[in-house]
Structures are given as structure tokens and as C-alpha cells.
Amino acid sequence: MMEEYADRVWRGETGDSIADPGLSGRGVMTVADGLGWWPGFGNVIAFETEGHLALWDTSSPFSAGKLYEDVRGWSRAPLTAAFYSHGHIDHVFGTGPFEESGPRATVYAHEAVVPRFQRYLLTSGYNAVINQRQFQFPGLQWPTEYRHPDVTYRDALTVRLGGLTFDLFHAKGETDDATVAYVPEHRLLLPGDLFIWVTPNCGNPQKAQRYPREWVHALRRMAALDAEIMLPSHGAPIFGRDRIRQALLETAEWLESLVTQTLGLLNAGARLDEIVHAVRPPGHLADRPYLRARYDEPEFVVRNLWRLYGGWYDGNPANLKPAPDAVLARAVADLAGGAGKLADAAVKALADGDERLAGHFAEMAALAAPDDPGVHRVRADVFAARAAREASLMAKGVFTWAASESAERAGS
């Protein structure tokens, strides 16, 4: 059943990715003897071996109780080891219920996970806001207590547990603290979030630095392992050496193309604005079900590359020491004949199909007249329309949040 499901996802007949978890809530599904897959927003991989239970990733604080219940329906062995593929909160919060009812597990992770947790404490308010906006989860509170790893490593580590071997190595990509695992007894690759069944989450506009070039190297290193099973931490399994290699190598090709184009233009002295609107992913990979821009977007990756290699100055001298947004908006509104004129221009641009220009005019109108309900109705309409037409979760989240802000201000 699982291989049939994975085949449908591979053919693009059904979706299962970080943007649309397909089998969430089904409990632990057996992949092979002693190997279980728990699908959710943040998959968990379970191993039972010679009286030991091990987990690869441990889910979020919102699903830790359900994970415990489901895993206990699959295995009664004590949890003795857990591995964090990285330190995002949807991967590191599930050991608590196991340790409350049994022994303390040994948790393994890359050494950079600990500084990540420290950064989360410094920015807990910011992380609450941006994740409320990204996932449309208004009540989300960012955690301030974390289960720290017991064993950390820098480059590579081999862990033997019962009859299984976990060969771990460090990679940079979505994060700087990623761990990849290969379990030779199952010919199993565990890529964490380095493969998530959509284009790489490599440009998230609200999150910390990503590492596209290093991600390419990690994808090719994983492909060279010749695994027969790949169980990502988001999205469906992939079975078969050839499919795994194709998915990893084509994802590497897609991402490397953005890197090469961006660096070429950056080195030629182009402005960020020019690069963002010039770089395009390879067209011959557009139909791949694992390379759909459903979560992140190519132009966000370009901006992230600029931030990594070019700093924050975008090449426009007016933006080096700019006027406050509201001051500029009021000046433009005065030139246009009032904020209402800008709002009218936004409506016309939207009707003409220029959604980007409509967004600029609507935002300027609202900044110029922040207490005008009519202006906010236009802003709400513009960004609701933009959200409805976007494919990526990140763009949808920002635009929907903006539309909701103005709908509230307009009293609608």
C-alpha cells in the first residue's frame, strides 16, 4: 500500500509535501521490519531493534502527544535514542511523553542546534509573529524551553544501536545545523528537510540565512549513497535507487541554476532588482512534482543569495539611507492628488493584471492615510486577490495577513 501511494505521489497524481501533508493522522505505517513512518507536519521515522526504540526527528510541540500514542501502538520498546535532523521546532519536541513514562533517551544532533535554541530564546517574540503570519496561526506562541541534545558532533558521527547503524554527516542548506543519516541495514536515506517534495526552502523571506550552494553539494552527496529507500522529514517516501537519485540530482540542478545565474549577475554589477526579475529556474524541470514552488519561490532564493554574498544594500542609492516609508507614501499621495488617488490606481492596476504594481499603490495609500477605511478596503481587496493567485505558502501567508490587517481597519 505504501509503495503504491509513493508511486502516485511520484507521478504527480496526489500531493504530499511540506505544503500539503498527505497521510497525516494515519499513525505509524510499517515500511519494513522494524522500520516505521509517522506522517505529519514533520514526519517521524521510528526504528525498533533488539529491544530499543529510536526516532529520527520527534515532531512539534503540537503533536507530541499524538506521536507518543501512535508510536506506542507500533512498539512498546523504551525510547533509547532520538536524532534531530535540525533544530526547527516541528522536529525537536516529541521526546517528552516517552521520557515521562520511561528512561531518558540519548538525543543526537549537530553542534549548531544548541546555538539555534539560544537564538530562539533571544527572538521568541519575532518568531511567534512571523510564524503566525506564515502559517495563518494567530494564536501560536513560540516555545522558550527546549530538549537539548546529549551528544553533538561537528562533521560526522556513527551511532550503533542494537542491530542498526546510523551514519550521520553534517550539511548546510535550509539551516546551518542539518544532519543527514544513512542506515545501511535498510539501505535507507534520511535527508531531513533537505528534500521536502517542493522546491528547496532556500529563500524564506522571514527566516534566517539559508545556504543554496552548500545545499547543492549536500544533495549530490546524498545521491551518491545509492539508497533504496528515502524517507524525508516532510512529504512521501521514495522507493528505488533510480528515483531517489533522479529526485536529488534534479533538485541539485534546479538550485544550482539559480545560484549560477545570480552570482553571474551579481559579479557583473547588477542591482538586486534586476537580478530578481531576470533569474529563472530551468524550464525542462518545471513538470517535476518535487520541484513545484508550493512553499518557497525562486525569486526568494535569489534574494537570499544576495543577502549571503552581497549584503543588505540592494544597489539603489535611494535605499541606502531612505526616507521612512510613511513619509515617502504621503509625498507620493500629495503628488497624485491624495491617498484616494493611489487607492484608485491600485484598483486599476489590479484590474489590468499588474498585481505587483497594485500592491505598491495599495500599500502607499494605506501608509499615507492609515485611518481611512476606504483606503484599507482597497488594500484588503488587493492583497486578498494576490493571496488567492499565489501558489507558494509563504507568499500566501504574507498577503493574507496584510489583507486581514486592512479588513480589520476597514471594519469589514
Side-chain angles (χ1 to χ4, degrees):
M1 175 238 178
M2 189 178 300
E3 292 201 26
E4 291 177 4
Y5 174 75
D7 191 53
R8 292 199 306 275
V9 176
W10 178 265
R11 294 196 303 267
E13 296 172 3
T14 188
D16 191 340
S17 70
I18 191 171
D20 48 359
L23 293 182
S24 182
R26 300 290 186 93
V28 179
M29 306 175 73
T30 298
V31 179
D33 186 32
L35 174 61
W37 177 60
W38 186 84
F41 186 80
N43 299 335
V44 176
I45 317 306
F47 300 86
E48 186 175 35
T49 173
E50 299 181 3
H52 297 272
L53 173 68
L55 299 178
W56 172 262
D57 282 336
T58 67
S59 84
S60 75
F62 315 109
S63 55
K66 178 62 173 168
L67 171 69
Y68 175 77
E69 176 185 328
D70 290 342
V71 169
R72 280 290 165 247
W74 183 78
S75 170
R76 302 304 299 179
L79 179 69
T80 55
F83 303 86
Y84 296 163
S85 68
H86 60 298
H88 283 166
I89 69 166
D90 51 328
H91 301 266
V92 299
F93 269 92
T95 60
F98 293 93
E99 294 181 328
E100 289 167 7
S101 61
R104 181 177 172 87
T106 301
V107 175
Y108 300 86
H110 185 259
E111 63 183 9
V113 164
V114 175
R116 171 179 298 280
F117 291 165
Q118 293 168 346
R119 173 166 61 83
Y120 283 166
L121 294 179
L122 291 173
T123 58
S124 60
Y126 174 73
N127 275 287
V129 170
I130 62 174
N131 283 281
Q132 289 172 19
R133 186 161 52 215
Q134 179 169 312
F135 296 108
Q136 298 302 296
F137 192 172
L140 184 146
Q141 295 297 310
W142 198 252
T144 55
E145 294 183 6
Y146 296 87
R147 172 60 161 91
H148 283 240
D150 302 291
V151 178
T152 63
Y153 75 99
R154 178 162 298 172
D155 297 316
L157 177 69
T158 295
V159 177
R160 292 185 174 85
L161 185 71
L164 296 178
T165 307
F166 296 85
D167 289 322
L168 314 178
F169 67 85
H170 175 233
K172 293 174 74 174
E174 180 190 28
T175 66
D176 62 355
D177 60 356
T179 292
V180 174
Y182 183 68
V183 184
E185 292 82 3
H186 288 296
R187 296 196 66 182
L188 169 66
L189 174 63
L190 300 170
D193 279 9
L194 293 167
F195 184 87
I196 53 176
W197 275 103
V198 291
T199 57
N201 180 14
C202 210
N204 190 319
Q206 302 181 91
K207 301 292 179 70
Q209 184 66 59
R210 269 69 165 125
Y211 303 91
R213 187 166 172 269
E214 293 83 351
W215 199 329
V216 170
H217 298 161
L219 288 161
R220 290 183 173 144
R221 183 175 179 181
M222 290 189 290
L225 294 171
D226 286 335
E228 288 290 343
I229 305 171
M230 182 167 76
L231 297 176
S233 290
H234 295 281
I238 299 181
F239 295 95
R241 172 185 177 274
D242 291 343
R243 285 186 173 182
I244 294 169
R245 283 179 55 82
Q246 177 183 328
L248 294 173
L249 293 176
E250 288 188 342
T251 301
E253 179 185 355
W254 186 96
L255 190 53
E256 186 174 52
S257 175
L258 299 186
V259 174
T260 301
Q261 292 177 68
T262 301
L263 287 177
L265 289 166
L266 187 150
N267 284 322
R271 291 185 179 192
L272 175 59
D273 176 71
E274 177 185 345
I275 299 174
V276 164
H277 293 99
V279 172
R280 294 289 182 271
H284 69 281
L285 299 177
D287 65 341
R288 301 298 194 263
Y290 43 83
L291 288 175
R292 295 170 178 164
R294 293 286 317 283
Y295 193 56
D296 210 329
E297 297 199 34
E299 67 181 87
F300 299 162
V301 177
V302 171
R303 290 184 181 277
N304 188 53
L305 282 160
W306 179 282
R307 178 174 64 174
L308 180 61
Y309 295 115
W312 61 263
Y313 173 53
D314 63 3
N316 181 342
N319 290 335
L320 182 66
K321 298 181 73 174
D325 287 347
V327 171
L328 177 61
R330 287 194 295 270
V332 172
D334 287 344
L335 291 170
K341 294 291 186 183
L342 286 177
D344 291 343
V347 172
K348 183 179 185 302
L350 188 64
D352 290 343
D354 196 336
E355 297 174 1
R356 294 183 185 236
L357 188 58
H360 285 297
F361 285 148
E363 188 67 15
M364 279 192 169
L367 287 170
D371 299 321
D372 187 323
V375 163
H376 276 287
R377 277 192 289 273
V378 170
R379 183 177 183 266
D381 290 344
V382 166
F383 285 110
R386 295 206 69 179
R389 295 171 193 174
E390 292 290 340
S392 79
L393 184 145
M394 292 176 192
K396 279 183 177 291
V398 170
F399 292 151
T400 300
W401 194 267
S404 298
E405 287 176 328
S406 277
E408 185 176 346
R409 297 287 292 273
S412 57

